[in-house]
Amino acid sequence: MKFFVDTADVNDIRELNDTGLLDGVTTNPSLIKKSGRDFLEVVEEIAGIVDGPVSAETVALDHVTMLKEGRKLAAIADNIAVKVPLTIDGLKTCKALASDGVMVNVTLCFSANQALLAAKAGAAFISPFVGRHDDVGFDGMALIEDIRTIYDNYAFDTEILVASVRHPVHVLEAALIGADVATIPADVIRKLANHPLTDKGLEGFLKDWAATGQKIL
Ligand code: G3P
């Protein structure tokens, strides 16, 4: 499963990219606001930090303007994935951009039928929001399972990009289902490596090693 980080904070992106574990980045208008940065500038900077796809979201609601925005965003760098909302205008724009060879990430997906439409529109990625689904009493991961089944039934190339990830169990369940990508907040990525028994075991090994009085270097 590919790991994207869900942030526009370039410090977090640089730190995680240096681990070699990062496969891409997703942003959205709320994350851009949180960064306090100029949108086009920070997206260009992020696209220069990571090799993988960097999602940058359009903000128009109509197809004509959304398409112009998408083409402008795609021109920033070869690894830009243009994000469009799961609306009829978003799907029309996805179809047009995809036919131009542009990577499109269709976002704000909350049903399997929506995901089916995005695949038919040629999306490179579909972003079902599991955390927000859970927040209103639905099972976000059941949605991922349904999309996985549908995409496998028809061999769609669209990659399932699990979004609105809130904790390590979302990542685990996404991997067990066979999602292609999870876009994960930086602090959740860091939590994935943590386990108290690992810490305890390492402490014990180093204590016993110290008792040998030996050195490797
Ligand atoms: O990429 C979508 C993600 O940023 C939304 O997350 O926690 O605002 O639902 P959240």
Side-chain angles (χ1 to χ4, degrees), residues 40-63:
L40 300 178
E41 278 180 16
V42 75
V43 164
E44 184 172 12
E45 183 175 347
I46 294 169
I49 296 169
V50 303
D51 296 329
V54 175
S55 289
E57 191 158 342
T58 58
V59 292
L61 293 177
D62 69 288
H63 166 60

Side-chain angles (χ1 to χ4, degrees), residues 67-149:
L67 185 55
K68 288 177 184 170
E69 289 180 346
R71 287 182 169 141
K72 182 170 183 179
L73 295 175
I76 292 172
D78 292 342
N79 57 330
I80 294 292
V82 176
K83 250 187 181 180
V84 297
L86 218 150
T87 61
I88 293 297
D89 283 80
L91 293 167
K92 279 175 69 175
T93 305
C94 176
K95 188 80 176 175
L97 289 172
S99 63
D100 290 348
V102 173
M103 270 190 294
V104 181
N105 177 357
V106 179
T107 190
L108 287 167
C109 171
F110 292 94
S111 78
N113 275 334
Q114 285 181 318
L116 177 54
L117 288 171
K120 287 179 65 65
F125 303 102
I126 182 65
S127 289
F129 280 33
V130 295
R132 294 192 193 186
H133 219 68
D134 293 351
D135 288 345
V136 294
F138 290 91
D139 180 349
M141 280 302 158
L143 172 59
I144 304 302
E145 283 179 317
D146 289 348
I147 297 170
R148 180 74 284 159
T149 300

Side-chain angles (χ1 to χ4, degrees), residues 6-7 26-28 30-31 57 83 105 107-108 110 127 129-133 135 161-166 183 185:
D6 194 35
T7 185
T26 54
T27 71
N28 63 42
S30 301
L31 293 171
E57 191 158 342
K83 250 187 181 180
N105 177 357
T107 190
L108 287 167
F110 292 94
S127 289
F129 280 33
V130 295
R132 294 192 193 186
H133 219 68
D135 288 345
L161 194 167
V162 178
S164 190
V165 167
R166 301 281 172 77
T183 192

